[in-house]
Amino acid sequence: MSDATIQTARDAGLVACTQCGRVHGAQETMCVRCGAALSSRDETSLQRVWAWWFAGLICYIPANIYPMLKTSTFGSELDNTIIGGVIELIDYKSYGVAFIVFFASVVIPISKFLAIAYLAYSVQYPTTLPGKVRQHLYETVEFIGRWSMIDVFVVAILSALVQFNFIVNIHPGIAAVSFALSVAFTMLSAQSFDSRLIWDADEDRRT
Amino acid sequence: MTDMPQPAEMERRPRKPSPWRNLSVVWLVPVLALVVSLGIAWRTYADRGQLIEIEFQNAAGVKAGETTLHYRDVIIGTVENVGFTEDLEKVLVSARVDNNIVPFLNETAQFWVVRPEVTAQGVSGLSTVLSGVYIEGTWEKTGGPAPDRFQGLDQRPLVDVTDEGTRVTLTTQDGTVTSAGTPVFYRGVQVGRTEAPRLDESGSVVMVEAFVEAPHDRLLTTATRFWDNSGFSVSLGADGLTLDVGSFAALLSGGISFNTFFDGGRPVEAGHIYELYVDQDSAKTNAFSRVSGNTVTLATVFQGGVSGLTSPAEVRYEGLKIGEVRSVSAFVTGEGNDMEVSQQVLLEIDPELMGLPANSGLEDVLDLLSPAVDEGLRARLESANLLGSTLIVELAKVEGAGPASLDRTADPYPVIPSVPSNVQDINATLEGVLKRVNGLRIEELIQQATSTLASIETVATGSEIQTIPKAVVDLIEDARALVNSEAAKALPGEALDALADLRITIDRVNSDGVIAKLSSTLASADAAMANLSTASDELPALVADLREVAAEARDLPARELVESATEFLNGADALIDSEETRAIPPALTAALEQLRGLLAELQTGGAIENTNAALASARSATESLERATADLPSLTARLESLVARSEDLISAYGARSDFNSETLSMLREISAAARTVTSLARSLERSPNSLLFGK
C-alpha cells in the first residue's frame, strides 16, 4: 500500500462529513444529510488545540499544589495533595493503589500534554515520526484521556460515601475541581485536533 | 480530450487573514483559567493570616498542622510549627491566626493548652480526648498592636481577662485548704474561685489569689471576712454532736466562704489582702476592726509582766471594743538595782468605733482622750473573761490615779498613761473581801448569843424549869437560823468567791513580782484568817456555856443540844474549807480541757483522713479518666468504697444524732453521685459515640 498512488478526496474536490461520513462537493458548507458543518480542513483547529491545551495546563498547576482530599478524623483535619496521597499510600505499603493513582493522576495527564503538544507541533513543523504512528498516538491520547478522571471519580465517591459526622469526613479540595477541569480541557484539546492535518503535513513533506 | 471530465473547479486561495481576526473564542478559556488560578492563589496568600509565636513550658500533644487555635471554642488558626526557643528552655509554637482576628490581638492575650480534666468541680476538655489538645486564647477586646511572641500559660487562667470581677489576695498559714479552682462561696452560692496557693517571698505566709465575679464583687468590703469551709466541721455543743458539711464539691476540693459581719466597710480595690480564717466562728470573733481600715496607733507602757497579752487582744473603752493590740515589746529602764522591765504595748484604735467621724485622724482621737486622761483615764490590763488566761487592755477611769497627762509628743506614738495591771487589782479585791469578812460583826453576834444564853441560864435556874428545855431548844434553833442567814450566810459565799478569784489569780500570775505580791496578799489573808480564828476563839466559850446549860438541864436531852451546835459549826467550817469547793475551778478547767481535746481529736481524727482518702480516690480517678474514659466504672467502685468507709465512720458514732443524720444525707448525696457516674458509664458503654457528639 503506497501512499503515493492515492488520490485524496481533497485532491478530488470532495469533502466528507465528519459526523455521518457522506461525501459532498467541495463547495458545500453543510451536510445535506445530518446538517453538520463541512470543511475540508479545520483551519482553527490548531488554535483551539493550543487554547484548550494551555487552559488544561493552567488548571493542572493548582491541581497539584492544593489538597485533593480533606479528611477529618475526630475533629483533626488532614489535607492531601495528589503527590502527598501517593506518598502516603506508599507509606501504607499499598503499592498497587499507589501506582494506579500515580499513573492516572500524574503519568497520563503529563503524557497527554506532551503528546498533544507534539502532534500540534508536528503539523506545522517537519517531524521524524511517520504519519501512521502519529495517528496511532492521537487515537491513544483520545482513548486514554478519559481514564485520567479516575482520580476525580475516587474523590467524588469517597466524599459522597464517607460522611460519618464527627468520626470521618471526606471533602473534595480545590485540586479536585481543577484536576477535573484540567482533564476536561485536555480532552477538548485532543478533540479539537483535526487528525487530517497529520496526513497533510506528511504529504507536504513527501512532495 | 476537451470533453475529458475535469476535476471540479476549486477555489483554493488560502486567505491570509490577520491572526487576530481569526482568533478562536476558545482562547478565552485559558485566559479565564489563568485569571481564576491567579485569583485563587492571591486569595490564599492574602487569607493566610498572621503568624504569631507562643512560648510554652510544655506543649504535650501540640502537633504542627493539626493543633488548632481557639477563641471562645471557635477555631481561629492552626499551629504551623513546633520548635524551641533559642536557648531550648521553652517550646515555641508558631501559629497562623485568621486575619479577621488579628486586629483584636493585643499584649493582654493569654494562651494555654486545653487538655481533658476531671476535677471535683466537673469535667472539662472532654472533646480533646479523641481530637487531641488545642490551644485556647483569650484577650481583652480593646485591640491594639500585637507582639510577635506571647507567653503561654501552663493551665487555664483563673480569670479570663474578659471576665469582670475583683481579684483579692487571701493570706493563710496553711496552703492545704485550697487548691487551684477552689470555689468561693457567698451564703453557699459560688461566686468565684481561687488560684493555686503560693508562698510569699519570705516563705512565711501562704498567699491565695481569689477571684470574685461581678456583680458579686460589690459584696466585698473592708469589713468582709473570708474563712475556709471545706470538709466536715464537727462540733460538740449543748445540743449534742453536730456535723456541718458544705457541698459535695467543697468536701472534695475545699471551699472558701466570705461574708460581711459588720457594717461600715468601704469598697475594696483589686488586690486587697484578706486573712483567711480557719472557720466561720473564728472569722466572726476576729471580725472586729480594721473595719474602716482607718486606724490610729497609740502606745502605753505597763510596768511588770503582761503575760497573757498578745496581739490582737481587744482594746476596750467604756466596755466597748475600739481597737486591737498591735504588738507587745519589752524594754529596760534604769540601771543596776533600779533596773525595771517595762512593756510597751501598741494599740491600734479605730476612731469610728469611738464615735468619731469615719475620716478622723490621730489628732481627733487625742483631742477626745486628752481631757479624759486628765480626769483619770488610764490604760490597764483586764482579764478577758472569767476562766480564760487572756488579757485585754482597757481604757477606764481609775479612781485615785496619780496625776498624768497624754504624752502627745512621745516618739514614735503618743503614750497613754497606765496604771498597774488590773491583775493586781484582783488581788486588792480579794484583800477587800477578806477585810469585809474580817469586818463582819461575828464577835458581836456571838457575844449577843452568849449573853442570850446567859439569860437562858438565869431563866433555867429559875422556877419555870419544866418549860425550859423546849424553849432552849427553840432558842438555839433561832440562834442557828440567825447565824445561818443574812451576813453570816454571806460569809461562806463571799469566801467561796474569794477563793475562786484567788484560784484564777494564781492560775494567771506567772511572773515573780506578782507572786511576791500575791504571797503578801496571802499573808494578809492569813492575818485575816487569824483574826477570824481569834473571833472564833469565843466559840468554845459558847460551847462551854452550852455545856453548862446542858449540865444544868440534867434530865433533859443535852446530847441533842450539843450535837446540833457542833453540827452547825462543823457544817459552817466544812462549807468554807471544803476540798470540793476548792476543786471546782480545776474541775471546770479539766472539763474544758477534755472538751477541747475531744474537739481536736474529732478535727484531726478519722474524718479528715477519710476526706483525704476520698480526695486521693478522686485524684486517681481523675488520672484514670485522663487516660481513658473506660475507667469510669472503677471511679464508681471507688466512690462506693468511700461510701463504705464513711459508713464505718458513722457506725463509730452513736445512732440517731445530728451527726448521723447529716452524714447520712451526705452519703445519700455521694451515693447519688456514684449512681450518676454508674449510669453515665453504662450509657457510655451502650453508645460510645455520645461521648463524641456530646449527646
Side-chain angles (χ1 to χ4, degrees):
Chain A
M1 189 167 77
S2 168
D3 291 340
T5 59
I6 291 175
Q7 187 186 29
T8 63
R10 185 180 168 147
D11 290 340
L14 295 172
V15 60
C17 174
T18 49
Q19 303 295 313
C20 63
R22 190 192 153 109
V23 178
H24 298 81
Q27 70 281 359
E28 295 288 335
T29 57
M30 190 179 280
C31 175
V32 292
R33 188 160 62 188
C34 69
L38 294 175
S39 77
S40 178
R41 293 292 180 272
D42 190 351
E43 280 151 13
T44 60
S45 166
L46 279 180
Q47 257 194 58
R48 283 190 285 122
V49 167
W50 284 117
W52 289 122
W53 188 86
F54 275 115
L57 190 66
I58 288 165
C59 287
Y60 191 65
I61 295 166
N64 278 287
I65 293 174
Y66 284 98
M68 190 86 172
L69 273 182
K70 287 184 173 176
T71 315
S72 64
T73 315
F74 295 124
S76 66
E77 197 157 280
L78 199 67
D79 294 344
N80 271 125
T81 58
I82 293 171
I83 296 293
V86 171
I87 291 169
E88 201 163 298
L89 283 170
I90 291 172
D91 279 348
Y92 293 145
K93 314 256 184 227
S94 308
Y95 299 112
V97 183
F99 175 76
I100 291 172
V101 172
F102 182 73
F103 195 76
S105 308
V106 180
V107 176
I108 293 179
I110 290 179
S111 329
K112 261 169 66 182
F113 281 122
L114 291 175
I116 294 168
Y118 172 74
L119 287 174
Y121 177 84
S122 68
V123 170
Q124 287 164 309
Y125 302 95
T127 174
T128 49
L129 281 178
K132 237 195 285 184
V133 178
R134 281 184 284 148
Q135 177 67 27
H136 279 300
L137 184 64
Y138 170 71
E139 280 167 1
T140 312
V141 164
E142 258 218 309
F143 170 77
I144 216 165
R146 65 204 71 167
W147 286 99
S148 293
M149 281 295 192
I150 193 167
D151 222 25
V152 179
F153 286 141
V154 166
V155 170
I157 289 165
L158 280 182
S159 31
L161 290 182
V162 188
Q163 293 287 349
F164 300 112
N165 277 338
F166 185 74
I167 302 170
V168 183
N169 245 333
I170 292 182
H171 294 291
I174 299 174
V177 178
S178 46
F179 188 80
L181 282 173
S182 174
V183 173
F185 289 156
T186 46
M187 284 169 79
L188 284 171
S189 175
Q191 255 179 12
S192 305
F193 186 70
D194 193 343
S195 57
R196 291 172 295 195
L197 291 169
I198 296 172
W199 309 114
D200 286 350
D202 224 21
E203 277 172 33
D204 290 347
R205 198 171 49 171
R206 256 202 327 276
T207 49
Chain B
M1 286 290 281
T2 51
D3 290 340
M4 206 180 143
Q6 291 295 312
E9 200 54 51
M10 237 177 135
E11 197 61 43
R12 290 186 66 194
R13 224 180 37 209
R15 278 172 295 174
K16 268 282 175 194
S18 147
W20 294 108
R21 222 181 36 188
N22 211 15
L23 211 59
S24 170
V25 219
V26 181
W27 280 107
L28 282 177
V29 176
V31 171
L32 209 67
L34 192 65
V35 168
V36 169
S37 297
L38 287 178
I40 288 172
W42 181 81
R43 245 194 82 187
T44 311
Y45 178 80
D47 287 354
R48 203 164 51 117
Q50 190 181 327
L51 198 66
I52 60 164
E53 289 176 325
I54 311 166
E55 285 180 14
F56 284 107
Q57 286 290 349
N58 168 15
V62 176
K63 289 180 199 156
E66 278 184 36
T67 306
T68 47
L69 201 62
H70 291 222
Y71 174 70
R72 291 181 184 274
D73 282 337
V74 173
I75 296 175
I76 58 161
T78 312
V79 171
E80 284 204 345
N81 189 30
V82 180
F84 292 100
T85 52
E86 293 77 7
D87 48 4
L88 297 184
E89 282 288 310
K90 287 181 170 182
V91 179
L92 191 62
V93 173
S94 308
R96 210 166 269 287
V97 182
D98 290 355
N99 272 331
N100 49 352
I101 297 296
V102 169
F104 296 102
L105 266 183
N106 54 28
E107 70 282 348
T108 65
Q110 296 175 315
F111 295 96
W112 65 95
V113 180
V114 177
R115 301 186 173 91
E117 262 181 290
V118 181
T119 61
Q121 280 95 44
V123 180
S124 69
L126 205 59
S127 61
T128 63
V129 171
L130 294 170
S131 66
V133 301
Y134 59 88
I135 297 172
E136 175 96 36
T138 181
W139 52 85
E140 279 176 18
K141 287 156 286 201
T142 51
D148 292 335
R149 196 174 279 197
F150 297 91
Q151 296 297 322
L153 304 173
D154 292 339
Q155 55 193 10
R156 177 182 288 275
L158 164 67
V159 185
D160 196 313
V161 287
T162 57
D163 282 354
E164 286 183 19
T166 303
R167 182 189 279 265
V168 295
T169 305
L170 309 178
T171 61
T172 176
Q173 298 298 321
D174 182 7
T176 57
V177 297
T178 61
S179 59
T182 299
V184 176
F185 297 99
Y186 178 79
R187 296 183 191 277
V189 178
Q190 188 180 345
V191 297
R193 53 207 178 276
T194 68
E195 268 180 5
R198 61 185 163 83
L199 287 169
D200 74 339
E201 283 163 15
S202 65
S204 58
V205 177
V206 178
M207 320 273 280
V208 184
E209 297 278 323
F211 181 78
V212 180
E213 294 156 9
H216 309 294
D217 58 342
R218 65 187 159 78
L219 298 167
L220 292 172
T221 68
T222 47
T224 301
R225 291 290 170 271
F226 284 80
W227 69 91
D228 168 30
N229 74 341
S230 57
F232 300 78
S233 144
V234 184
S235 57
L236 184 62
D239 50 350
L241 195 63
T242 55
L243 172 74
D244 188 17
V245 188
S247 74
F248 183 53
L251 186 68
L252 289 177
S253 68
I256 286 173
S257 291
F258 70 88
N259 205 335
T260 305
F261 301 113
F262 292 86
D263 294 333
R266 289 177 295 109
V268 295
E269 301 281 314
H272 191 84
I273 296 177
Y274 288 104
E275 192 173 332
L276 181 63
Y277 293 96
V278 184
D279 52 34
Q280 186 172 4
D281 285 344
S282 58
K284 258 182 189 165
T285 50
N286 288 310
F288 144 69
S289 84
R290 297 191 283 262
V291 163
S292 62
N294 173 31
T295 56
V296 300
T297 306
L298 299 174
T300 187
V301 175
F302 290 108
Q303 306 292 330
V306 290
S307 168
L309 184 68
T310 52
S311 171
E314 281 183 32
V315 177
R316 283 190 191 163
Y317 176 62
E318 306 281 358
L320 288 175
K321 185 171 184 175
I322 59 162
E324 282 178 354
V325 170
R326 200 175 79 187
S327 67
V328 180
S329 55
F331 64 92
V332 176
T333 51
E335 283 176 5
N337 289 338
D338 296 334
M339 198 164 77
E340 209 171 323
V341 178
S342 299
Q343 313 280 347
Q344 189 187 46
V345 180
L346 294 185
L347 312 173
E348 211 164 350
I349 289 169
D350 187 350
E352 227 180 316
L353 291 173
M354 296 180 77
L356 291 168
N359 53 357
S360 304
L362 182 59
E363 288 304 311
D364 299 305
V365 174
L366 293 180
D367 287 344
L368 180 75
L369 286 178
S370 191
V373 169
D374 293 339
E375 285 171 28
L377 183 83
R378 298 290 182 270
R380 68 174 180 195
L381 294 176
E382 186 89 53
S383 62
N385 51 42
L386 195 66
L387 291 172
S389 60
T390 51
L391 292 181
I392 60 168
V393 175
E394 182 166 40
L395 303 181
K397 277 197 179 126
V398 178
E399 298 295 333
S405 62
L406 193 63
D407 189 355
R408 282 174 173 248
T409 54
D411 186 59
Y413 299 108
V415 175
I416 299 179
S418 68
V419 288
S421 24
N422 211 25
V423 181
Q424 289 153 20
D425 274 9
I426 296 168
N427 297 342
T429 313
L430 185 65
E431 213 167 335
V433 168
L434 287 169
K435 271 177 190 157
R436 266 159 67 203
V437 171
N438 219 4
L440 283 176
R441 292 184 291 180
I442 298 172
E443 296 159 52
E444 215 172 300
L445 189 75
I446 290 170
Q447 268 166 11
Q448 216 163 354
T450 314
S451 63
T452 309
L453 284 169
S455 311
I456 293 168
E457 195 180 355
T458 49
V459 172
T461 53
S463 56
E464 298 158 33
I465 197 153
Q466 294 300 323
T467 57
I468 283 173
K470 196 169 171 56
V472 166
V473 171
D474 289 347
L475 201 62
I476 296 290
E477 287 287 342
D478 286 351
R480 197 164 141 190
L482 187 69
V483 175
N484 248 346
S485 64
E486 288 167 22
K489 203 176 180 182
L491 166 69
E494 287 208 78
L496 188 65
D497 287 350
L499 281 166
D501 285 356
L502 189 65
R503 175 75 201 165
I504 298 155
T505 313
I506 289 165
D507 273 351
R508 191 173 305 134
V509 169
N510 291 321
S511 68
D512 294 344
V514 178
I515 289 201
K517 284 182 183 110
L518 189 66
S519 24
S520 78
T521 313
L522 285 172
S524 59
D526 271 350
M529 286 298 184
N531 285 349
L532 197 63
S533 57
T534 50
S536 308
D537 277 346
E538 307 232 20
L539 282 173
L542 174 67
V543 174
D545 280 342
L546 282 170
R547 277 194 186 130
E548 274 179 45
V549 173
E552 286 183 54
R554 276 160 215 151
D555 301 324
L556 306 175
R559 263 185 85 168
E560 188 190 1
L561 185 72
V562 174
E563 263 174 17
S564 63
T566 318
E567 204 179 321
F568 153 61
L569 287 169
N570 283 344
D573 196 28
L575 188 61
I576 293 168
D577 199 24
S578 138
E579 279 296 324
E580 278 166 8
T581 315
R582 207 171 280 167
I584 286 173
L588 210 53
T589 318
L592 283 167
E593 284 292 335
Q594 274 176 342
L595 210 59
R596 209 172 290 154
L598 179 61
L599 285 173
E601 227 171 282
L602 278 168
Q603 266 167 14
T604 57
I608 303 298
E609 269 166 30
N610 274 289
T611 313
N612 284 342
L615 280 169
S617 300
R619 213 168 282 149
S620 57
T622 305
E623 280 160 19
S624 313
L625 253 176
E626 270 184 301
R627 276 187 228 104
T629 46
D631 278 354
L632 272 173
S634 75
L635 176 66
T636 317
R638 280 184 190 130
L639 276 170
E640 268 160 9
S641 76
L642 169 68
V643 172
R645 267 203 294 269
S646 305
E647 268 165 1
D648 291 349
L649 176 71
I650 296 311
S651 63
Y653 295 94
R656 293 295 127 220
S657 65
D658 276 358
F659 181 89
N660 228 348
S661 58
E662 269 272 17
T663 314
L664 282 174
S665 74
M666 188 195 68
L667 286 176
R668 275 196 285 275
E669 213 180 323
I670 296 174
S671 306
R675 272 199 296 279
T676 314
V677 174
T678 315
S679 69
L680 173 68
R682 274 189 199 136
S683 67
L684 279 177
E685 273 166 21
R686 277 200 301 273
S687 54
N689 55 348
S690 67
L691 186 69
L692 307 176
F693 307 134
K695 283 169 192 163

